[in-house]
Amino acid sequence: MARPTPELIHALRVTAQKLKNGTHYQWGHMGGCNCGNLAQELTKLSKDQIHRYAMERYGDWSKQVDDYCSSSQMPIDLIINEMITNGLTIEDLKHLEKLNDREVLLRLPLEKRYLKHNVRDDVVTYLNTWAGLLEDQLLQKIVLPSINDLQPA
């Protein structure tokens, strides 16, 4: 599961909001699909740039991340590397493209867990739910001092 950071949580929520507000979405377009839209937010590249870079190698996002090499200078590998640097894992990217991470889905009501990977509203639901999960994980790491730990001035 992704490393919960405020920046990643923000990127997930911004991506969800942009999709909700009608930004380009096309599941078969490497820059306009589930991963492509998040990649736009994390890398600040355009959907067309991401798509063009991905087309230098064969396959959808799942295949691209399977072939990912951290030391490669292939543009798609640089994009994937940037996403990993922002806290994501290879598995996160695979799950995002199919909307099928078990931890994310378990946070949804039972009747809402059957998301379709190529439906904009389902992507928005998944991204917001994932952001909420990461936020909860981040907040659990925060330890405030107890009143007994405070030294009198």
Side-chain angles (χ1 to χ4, degrees):
M1 176 61 67
R3 187 176 69 250
T5 65
E7 297 79 15
L8 178 57
I9 293 164
H10 179 74
L12 291 167
R13 289 197 170 122
V14 168
T15 302
Q17 189 63 44
K18 286 180 177 179
L19 286 166
K20 185 176 180 179
N21 290 341
T23 198
H24 175 85
Y25 179 75
Q26 181 182 350
W27 192 78
H29 186 283
M30 294 293 289
C33 59
N34 306 354
C35 288
N37 272 286
L38 183 57
Q40 287 178 56
E41 191 59 35
L42 291 172
T43 67
K44 303 308 179 200
L45 295 171
S46 73
K47 68 176 175 54
D48 293 330
Q49 287 172 303
I50 294 166
H51 185 76
R52 186 172 59 251
Y53 295 155
M55 292 295 99
E56 291 180 16
R57 194 163 61 205
Y58 174 78
D60 63 6
W61 273 94
S62 291
K63 178 71 172 137
Q64 298 280 1
V65 297
D66 279 342
D67 293 342
Y68 165 71
C69 175
S70 61
S71 61
S72 161
Q73 291 301 305
M74 293 279 299
I76 190 63
D77 286 338
L78 296 175
I79 291 169
I80 293 169
N81 192 60
E82 177 86 12
M83 296 175 84
I84 290 170
T85 299
N86 277 282
L88 296 168
T89 67
I90 294 294
E91 290 304 311
D92 290 326
L93 295 173
K94 290 180 182 182
H95 288 307
L96 174 56
E97 200 58 15
K98 298 293 186 182
L99 306 182
N100 65 1
D101 184 277
R102 183 171 167 75
E103 282 187 78
V104 174
L105 296 175
L106 286 174
R107 292 179 65 97
L108 295 169
L110 187 57
E111 67 277 5
K112 302 244 184 198
R113 289 184 189 164
Y114 301 97
L115 302 176
K116 291 187 171 87
H117 66 276
N118 59 353
V119 174
R120 176 192 299 266
D121 290 342
D122 286 355
V123 179
V124 170
T125 297
Y126 187 91
L127 289 169
N128 282 323
T129 303
W130 190 14
L133 172 64
L134 292 176
E135 183 176 53
D136 288 349
Q137 290 174 352
L138 182 63
L139 291 173
Q140 287 176 4
K141 292 181 178 187
I142 296 173
V143 178
L144 297 174
S146 75
I147 192 75
N148 296 330
D149 294 337
L150 300 175
Q151 298 294 325

